[in-house]
Coordinates of all heavy atoms in Angstrom, one line a residue:
M174 N 20.2 5.3 33.1 CA 21.0 5.0 31.9 C 20.1 5.5 30.7 O 19.0 5.1 30.5 CB 21.3 3.5 31.8 CG 22.1 3.2 30.7 SD 22.6 1.5 30.9 CE 22.8 1.0 29.3
A175 N 20.7 6.4 29.9 CA 20.0 7.0 28.8 C 20.1 6.1 27.6 O 21.1 5.4 27.4 CB 20.5 8.3 28.5
M176 N 19.1 6.1 26.8 CA 19.1 5.3 25.6 C 19.7 6.2 24.4 O 19.4 7.4 24.4 CB 17.7 4.9 25.2 CG 17.1 3.8 26.1 SD 15.4 3.3 25.6 CE 15.7 2.6 24.0
T177 N 20.4 5.6 23.5 CA 20.9 6.3 22.4 C 19.8 6.4 21.3 O 18.8 5.7 21.3 CB 22.1 5.6 21.8 OG1 21.7 4.4 21.1 CG2 23.2 5.3 22.8
Y178 N 20.0 7.3 20.4 CA 19.1 7.6 19.3 C 18.9 6.3 18.5 O 17.7 5.9 18.2 CB 19.7 8.7 18.5 CG 18.7 9.2 17.4 CD1 17.6 10.0 17.8 CD2 18.9 8.9 16.1 CE1 16.8 10.4 16.8 CE2 18.0 9.4 15.1 CZ 17.0 10.1 15.5 OH 16.1 10.6 14.5
L179 N 19.9 5.5 18.2 CA 19.8 4.3 17.5 C 19.1 3.2 18.2 O 18.4 2.4 17.7 CB 21.2 3.9 17.0 CG 21.9 4.8 16.0 CD1 23.3 4.2 15.7 CD2 21.1 4.9 14.7
E180 N 19.3 3.2 19.5 CA 18.5 2.2 20.4 C 17.0 2.5 20.3 O 16.2 1.6 20.2 CB 19.0 2.3 21.8 CG 20.4 1.7 22.0 CD 20.9 1.8 23.5 OE1 20.6 2.9 24.1 OE2 21.5 0.9 24.0
I181 N 16.7 3.8 20.3 CA 15.3 4.1 20.3 C 14.7 3.7 18.9 O 13.6 3.2 18.8 CB 15.1 5.7 20.5 CG1 15.4 6.0 21.9 CG2 13.7 6.1 20.2 CD1 15.6 7.5 22.2
L182 N 15.4 4.0 17.8 CA 15.0 3.5 16.5 C 14.9 2.0 16.4 O 13.9 1.5 15.8 CB 16.0 4.0 15.4 CG 16.1 5.5 15.1 CD1 17.1 5.8 14.1 CD2 14.7 6.0 14.6
G183 N 15.8 1.3 17.1 CA 15.7 -0.1 17.1 C 14.5 -0.7 17.8 O 13.8 -1.6 17.3
W184 N 14.2 0.0 18.9 CA 12.9 -0.4 19.7 C 11.7 -0.1 18.8 O 10.8 -0.9 18.8 CB 12.9 0.3 21.0 CG 13.7 -0.3 22.1 CD1 14.9 0.1 22.5 CD2 13.4 -1.6 22.7 NE1 15.4 -0.8 23.5 CE2 14.5 -1.8 23.6 CE3 12.4 -2.5 22.7 CZ2 14.6 -2.9 24.5 CZ3 12.4 -3.6 23.6 CH2 13.5 -3.8 24.4
A185 N 11.7 1.0 18.2 CA 10.6 1.3 17.3 C 10.4 0.3 16.2 O 9.3 -0.2 15.9 CB 10.7 2.7 16.7
R186 N 11.5 -0.1 15.6 CA 11.6 -1.0 14.5 C 11.0 -2.4 15.0 O 10.2 -3.0 14.3 CB 13.0 -1.2 14.0 CG 13.1 -2.0 12.7 CD 14.4 -2.0 12.1 NE 14.7 -0.8 11.4 CZ 15.6 0.1 11.8 NH1 16.3 -0.1 12.9 NH2 15.8 1.2 11.2
K187 N 11.5 -2.8 16.2 CA 11.0 -4.1 16.8 C 9.5 -4.1 17.0 O 8.8 -5.1 16.7 CB 11.7 -4.4 18.1 CG 13.1 -4.8 17.9 CD 13.8 -5.1 19.2 CE 15.2 -5.5 19.1 NZ 15.9 -5.7 20.4
G188 N 9.0 -3.0 17.5 CA 7.5 -2.8 17.7 C 6.7 -2.9 16.4 O 5.7 -3.6 16.4
I189 N 7.2 -2.2 15.4 CA 6.5 -2.2 14.1 C 6.6 -3.6 13.5 O 5.6 -4.1 13.0 CB 7.1 -1.1 13.2 CG1 6.8 0.2 13.7 CG2 6.6 -1.3 11.8 CD1 7.5 1.4 13.0
Q190 N 7.7 -4.3 13.6 CA 7.9 -5.6 13.1 C 6.9 -6.6 13.8 O 6.3 -7.4 13.1 CB 9.3 -6.2 13.2 CG 10.3 -5.5 12.3 CD 10.2 -6.0 10.9 OE1 9.2 -6.6 10.5 NE2 11.2 -5.7 10.1
A191 N 6.8 -6.5 15.1 CA 5.8 -7.3 15.8 C 4.4 -7.1 15.4 O 3.6 -8.0 15.2 CB 6.0 -7.1 17.3
D192 N 4.0 -5.8 15.2 CA 2.7 -5.5 14.8 C 2.4 -6.0 13.4 O 1.4 -6.5 13.1 CB 2.5 -4.0 14.8 CG 1.0 -3.5 14.8 OD1 0.2 -4.3 15.2 OD2 0.8 -2.4 14.4
K193 N 3.5 -5.9 12.5 CA 3.3 -6.4 11.2 C 3.1 -7.9 11.2 O 2.3 -8.5 10.4 CB 4.6 -6.0 10.4 CG 4.6 -6.4 8.9 CD 5.9 -5.8 8.3 CE 6.0 -6.4 6.9 NZ 7.3 -5.9 6.3
E194 N 3.9 -8.7 12.0 CA 3.7 -10.1 12.1 C 2.3 -10.5 12.6 O 1.7 -11.4 12.1 CB 4.8 -10.7 13.0 CG 4.8 -12.2 13.1 CD 5.0 -12.9 11.8 OE1 5.7 -12.4 10.9 OE2 4.4 -13.9 11.6
K195 N 1.8 -9.7 13.6 CA 0.5 -10.0 14.1 C -0.6 -9.8 13.0 O -1.4 -10.7 12.9 CB 0.2 -9.0 15.3 CG -1.2 -9.1 15.8 CD -1.5 -8.1 16.9 CE -1.8 -6.8 16.2 NZ -2.2 -5.7 17.1
H196 N -0.4 -8.8 12.1 CA -1.4 -8.6 11.1 C -1.2 -9.6 10.0 O -2.2 -10.0 9.3 CB -1.2 -7.2 10.5 CG -1.9 -6.2 11.4 ND1 -1.4 -5.6 12.5 CD2 -3.2 -5.7 11.3 CE1 -2.3 -4.8 13.0 NE2 -3.4 -4.8 12.3
R197 N 0.0 -10.1 9.8 CA 0.2 -11.2 8.8 C -0.5 -12.4 9.2 O -1.2 -13.1 8.4 CB 1.7 -11.5 8.6 CG 2.3 -10.6 7.6 CD 3.6 -11.2 7.1 NE 4.3 -10.3 6.2 CZ 5.5 -9.9 6.3 NH1 6.2 -10.2 7.3 NH2 5.9 -9.0 5.4
E198 N -0.4 -12.8 10.5 CA -1.1 -13.9 11.1 C -2.6 -13.8 11.0 O -3.3 -14.7 10.6 CB -0.7 -14.2 12.5 CG 0.7 -14.6 12.7 CD 1.1 -14.6 14.2 OE1 0.3 -14.5 15.1 OE2 2.3 -14.9 14.4
M199 N -3.1 -12.6 11.3 CA -4.6 -12.3 11.1 C -5.0 -12.4 9.7 O -6.1 -13.0 9.4 CB -4.9 -10.9 11.7 CG -4.8 -10.8 13.2 SD -5.2 -9.2 14.0 CE -5.6 -8.1 12.7
Q200 N -4.2 -11.9 8.8 CA -4.5 -12.0 7.3 C -4.6 -13.5 6.9 O -5.5 -13.9 6.2 CB -3.4 -11.3 6.6 CG -3.7 -11.2 5.1 CD -2.6 -10.5 4.3 OE1 -1.4 -10.7 4.6 NE2 -2.9 -9.7 3.3
E201 N -3.6 -14.3 7.3 CA -3.6 -15.7 7.0 C -4.9 -16.4 7.4 O -5.5 -17.1 6.7 CB -2.4 -16.4 7.5 CG -1.1 -16.1 6.8 CD 0.1 -16.7 7.5 OE1 0.0 -17.6 8.3 OE2 1.2 -16.2 7.2
K202 N -5.3 -16.1 8.7 CA -6.5 -16.7 9.2 C -7.8 -16.2 8.5 O -8.7 -17.0 8.2 CB -6.7 -16.4 10.7 CG -5.7 -17.1 11.6 CD -5.8 -16.8 13.0 CE -4.8 -17.5 13.9 NZ -4.8 -17.1 15.3
A203 N -7.7 -14.9 8.1 CA -8.9 -14.4 7.3 C -9.0 -15.0 6.0 O -10.1 -15.4 5.5 CB -8.7 -12.9 7.2
L204 N -7.8 -15.3 5.3 CA -7.8 -15.9 4.0 C -8.3 -17.3 4.1 O -9.0 -17.8 3.3 CB -6.4 -15.8 3.4 CG -6.0 -14.5 2.9 CD1 -4.5 -14.5 2.5 CD2 -6.9 -14.0 1.8
E205 N -7.9 -18.0 5.2 CA -8.4 -19.4 5.4 C -9.9 -19.5 5.5 O -10.5 -20.4 5.1 CB -7.7 -20.0 6.6 CG -6.3 -20.3 6.5 CD -5.6 -20.8 7.7 OE1 -6.3 -20.9 8.8 OE2 -4.4 -20.9 7.8
G206 N -10.4 -18.4 6.2 CA -11.9 -18.4 6.4 C -12.6 -17.7 5.3 O -13.8 -17.4 5.5
Q207 N -11.9 -17.3 4.2 CA -12.6 -16.6 3.1 C -13.1 -15.2 3.5 O -14.0 -14.7 2.8 CB -13.7 -17.5 2.5 CG -13.2 -18.8 1.9 CD -12.3 -18.7 0.8 OE1 -12.4 -17.9 -0.1 NE2 -11.2 -19.4 0.8
A208 N -12.5 -14.6 4.5 CA -12.9 -13.3 4.9 C -12.0 -12.3 4.2 O -11.1 -11.7 4.7 CB -12.8 -13.1 6.4
L209 N -12.3 -12.1 2.9 CA -11.4 -11.3 2.0 C -11.4 -9.8 2.4 O -10.3 -9.2 2.2 CB -11.8 -11.5 0.6 CG -11.8 -12.9 0.1 CD1 -12.2 -12.9 -1.4 CD2 -10.4 -13.5 0.2
D210 N -12.5 -9.3 2.9 CA -12.4 -7.9 3.4 C -11.5 -7.7 4.5 O -10.7 -6.7 4.6 CB -13.8 -7.4 3.7 CG -14.6 -8.2 4.7 OD1 -14.2 -9.4 4.8 OD2 -15.5 -7.7 5.4
I211 N -11.5 -8.6 5.5 CA -10.6 -8.5 6.6 C -9.1 -8.7 6.1 O -8.2 -8.0 6.6 CB -11.0 -9.5 7.7 CG1 -12.3 -9.2 8.3 CG2 -9.9 -9.6 8.8 CD1 -12.9 -10.2 9.2
A212 N -8.9 -9.7 5.3 CA -7.6 -9.9 4.7 C -7.1 -8.7 4.0 O -5.9 -8.3 4.1 CB -7.6 -11.1 3.8
G213 N -8.0 -8.0 3.3 CA -7.6 -6.8 2.5 C -7.2 -5.7 3.5 O -6.2 -4.9 3.3
H214 N -8.0 -5.6 4.6 CA -7.7 -4.5 5.6 C -6.3 -4.8 6.2 O -5.5 -3.9 6.4 CB -8.7 -4.5 6.7 CG -8.4 -3.6 7.8 ND1 -8.4 -2.2 7.6 CD2 -8.0 -3.8 9.0 CE1 -8.0 -1.7 8.8 NE2 -7.8 -2.6 9.7
C215 N -6.1 -6.1 6.5 CA -4.7 -6.5 7.1 C -3.6 -6.1 6.2 O -2.6 -5.6 6.6 CB -4.7 -8.0 7.4 SG -5.7 -8.5 8.8
Q216 N -3.8 -6.3 4.9 CA -2.8 -5.9 3.9 C -2.5 -4.4 3.9 O -1.4 -4.0 3.8 CB -3.2 -6.4 2.5 CG -2.1 -6.2 1.5 CD -0.8 -7.0 1.9 OE1 -0.8 -8.1 2.2 NE2 0.4 -6.2 1.9
E217 N -3.6 -3.6 4.0 CA -3.4 -2.2 4.0 C -2.6 -1.8 5.2 O -1.7 -0.9 5.1 CB -4.8 -1.5 4.1 CG -5.6 -1.6 2.8 CD -7.0 -1.1 2.9 OE1 -7.3 -0.4 4.0 OE2 -7.8 -1.3 2.0
V218 N -2.9 -2.4 6.4 CA -2.1 -2.1 7.6 C -0.6 -2.5 7.4 O 0.3 -1.8 7.8 CB -2.7 -2.8 8.8 CG1 -1.8 -2.6 10.0 CG2 -4.1 -2.3 9.1
I219 N -0.4 -3.7 6.8 CA 0.9 -4.2 6.6 C 1.7 -3.2 5.7 O 2.9 -2.9 5.9 CB 0.9 -5.6 6.0 CG1 0.4 -6.6 7.1 CG2 2.3 -6.0 5.4 CD1 0.1 -8.0 6.5
D220 N 1.0 -2.7 4.6 CA 1.6 -1.8 3.7 C 2.0 -0.5 4.4 O 3.1 0.0 4.2 CB 0.7 -1.5 2.5 CG 0.5 -2.7 1.6 OD1 1.3 -3.6 1.7 OD2 -0.5 -2.6 0.8
T221 N 1.1 0.0 5.3 CA 1.4 1.2 6.1 C 2.6 0.9 7.0 O 3.5 1.8 7.1 CB 0.2 1.6 6.9 OG1 -0.9 1.8 6.0 CG2 0.4 2.8 7.8
L222 N 2.7 -0.2 7.6 CA 3.8 -0.5 8.5 C 5.1 -0.6 7.7 O 6.1 -0.2 8.2 CB 3.5 -1.8 9.3 CG 2.4 -1.7 10.3 CD1 2.0 -3.1 10.8 CD2 2.7 -0.8 11.4
D223 N 5.0 -1.1 6.5 CA 6.2 -1.2 5.6 C 6.8 0.2 5.4 O 8.0 0.5 5.4 CB 5.9 -1.9 4.3 CG 5.9 -3.4 4.5 OD1 6.5 -3.9 5.4 OD2 5.3 -4.1 3.6
V224 N 5.8 1.2 5.1 CA 6.3 2.6 4.9 C 6.9 3.1 6.2 O 7.9 3.8 6.1 CB 5.0 3.4 4.5 CG1 5.4 4.9 4.5 CG2 4.5 3.0 3.1
K225 N 6.4 2.8 7.3 CA 7.0 3.3 8.6 C 8.4 2.7 8.8 O 9.3 3.4 9.2 CB 6.1 2.9 9.8 CG 4.8 3.7 9.8 CD 3.9 3.4 11.0 CE 2.7 4.2 11.0 NZ 1.8 4.0 12.2
L226 N 8.5 1.4 8.5 CA 9.8 0.8 8.6 C 10.9 1.5 7.6 O 12.0 1.7 8.0 CB 9.8 -0.7 8.3 CG 9.2 -1.5 9.4 CD1 8.9 -3.0 8.9 CD2 10.0 -1.6 10.6
A227 N 10.4 1.7 6.4 CA 11.3 2.4 5.4 C 11.7 3.8 5.9 O 12.8 4.2 5.8 CB 10.6 2.5 4.1
T228 N 10.7 4.5 6.6 CA 11.0 5.8 7.2 C 12.1 5.7 8.3 O 13.0 6.5 8.3 CB 9.7 6.4 7.7 OG1 8.8 6.6 6.6 CG2 10.0 7.8 8.3
L229 N 11.9 4.7 9.1 CA 12.9 4.5 10.2 C 14.3 4.2 9.6 O 15.3 4.7 10.1 CB 12.5 3.3 11.1 CG 11.4 3.6 12.0 CD1 11.0 2.4 12.8 CD2 11.7 4.8 13.0
D230 N 14.3 3.4 8.5 CA 15.6 3.1 7.8 C 16.2 4.4 7.3 O 17.4 4.6 7.4 CB 15.4 2.1 6.6 CG 15.1 0.7 7.1 OD1 15.3 0.4 8.3 OD2 14.6 -0.1 6.3
E231 N 15.4 5.3 6.7 CA 15.9 6.5 6.2 C 16.4 7.4 7.3 O 17.5 8.1 7.1 CB 14.8 7.3 5.4 CG 14.5 6.7 4.1 CD 13.3 7.4 3.4 OE1 13.2 8.6 3.6 OE2 12.6 6.7 2.6
I232 N 15.7 7.5 8.4 CA 16.2 8.2 9.6 C 17.5 7.7 10.1 O 18.5 8.5 10.3 CB 15.1 8.2 10.7 CG1 13.9 9.0 10.2 CG2 15.7 8.8 12.0 CD1 12.7 8.8 11.2
E233 N 17.7 6.4 10.2 CA 18.9 5.8 10.6 C 20.0 6.1 9.7 O 21.2 6.4 10.1 CB 18.8 4.3 10.8 CG 20.0 3.7 11.4 CD 19.8 2.2 11.7 OE1 18.7 1.7 11.8 OE2 20.9 1.6 12.0
D234 N 19.7 6.0 8.4 CA 20.7 6.4 7.4 C 21.2 7.8 7.5 O 22.4 8.1 7.4 CB 20.2 6.1 6.0 CG 21.2 6.3 4.9 OD1 22.3 5.7 5.0 OD2 20.9 6.9 3.9
L235 N 20.3 8.7 7.7 CA 20.6 10.1 7.8 C 21.5 10.3 9.1 O 22.5 11.1 9.1 CB 19.4 11.0 7.9 CG 18.6 11.2 6.6 CD1 17.3 11.9 6.9 CD2 19.4 12.0 5.6
H236 N 21.1 9.6 10.1 CA 21.9 9.7 11.4 C 23.3 9.2 11.2 O 24.2 9.8 11.7 CB 21.1 8.9 12.5 CG 21.9 8.9 13.8 ND1 21.9 10.0 14.7 CD2 22.7 7.9 14.3 CE1 22.7 9.6 15.7 NE2 23.1 8.4 15.5
N237 N 23.4 8.1 10.5 CA 24.8 7.5 10.3 C 25.7 8.3 9.4 O 26.9 8.2 9.4 CB 24.6 6.1 9.8 CG 24.1 5.2 10.8 OD1 24.2 5.4 12.0 ND2 23.4 4.1 10.4
R238 N 25.1 9.2 8.6 CA 25.9 10.0 7.7 C 26.6 11.2 8.4 O 27.5 11.7 7.9 CB 25.0 10.6 6.6 CG 24.6 9.6 5.5 CD 23.8 10.3 4.4 NE 22.9 9.4 3.8 CZ 22.1 9.8 2.8 NH1 22.0 11.1 2.5 NH2 21.3 8.9 2.2
K239 N 26.1 11.5 9.6 CA 26.6 12.7 10.3 C 28.0 12.3 10.8 O 28.5 11.4 11.1 CB 25.8 13.0 11.5 CG 24.5 13.7 11.1 CD 23.8 14.1 12.4 CE 22.5 14.8 12.0 NZ 21.8 15.3 13.2

């Protein structure tokens, strides 16, 4: 059974969301422990993942316009 293009985008989105949540949890723990450099790195990763999610949204939007 073949996956559709939108299913593949959905799986990618779920993976990125899970990674983003993992980094949020790490960031919270780092902030609790006053490890600001680690918290800052986590925020950079979260920001990068947000860009990737936005890109997936744009790809899906372009696909849906066809």
Side-chain angles (χ1 to χ4, degrees):
M174 185 168 149
M176 291 179 64
T177 67
Y178 189 73
L179 292 178
E180 287 174 321
I181 293 168
L182 289 176
W184 280 104
R186 190 175 283 111
K187 286 180 185 179
I189 293 171
Q190 288 285 17
D192 198 25
K193 187 175 166 182
E194 184 59 35
K195 178 184 78 172
H196 279 84
R197 275 200 180 123
E198 290 172 7
M199 289 181 358
Q200 183 182 40
E201 289 174 14
K202 289 179 183 178
L204 288 171
E205 289 172 6
Q207 299 296 315
L209 300 180
D210 54 336
I211 294 172
H214 173 72
C215 288
Q216 186 60 51
E217 290 174 10
V218 172
I219 291 167
D220 292 344
T221 300
L222 293 171
D223 282 338
V224 171
K225 290 181 180 185
L226 286 171
T228 301
L229 288 177
D230 289 342
E231 290 178 27
I232 292 169
E233 184 174 348
D234 185 48
L235 288 171
H236 176 78
N237 289 334
R238 287 187 203 172
K239 287 184 177 183

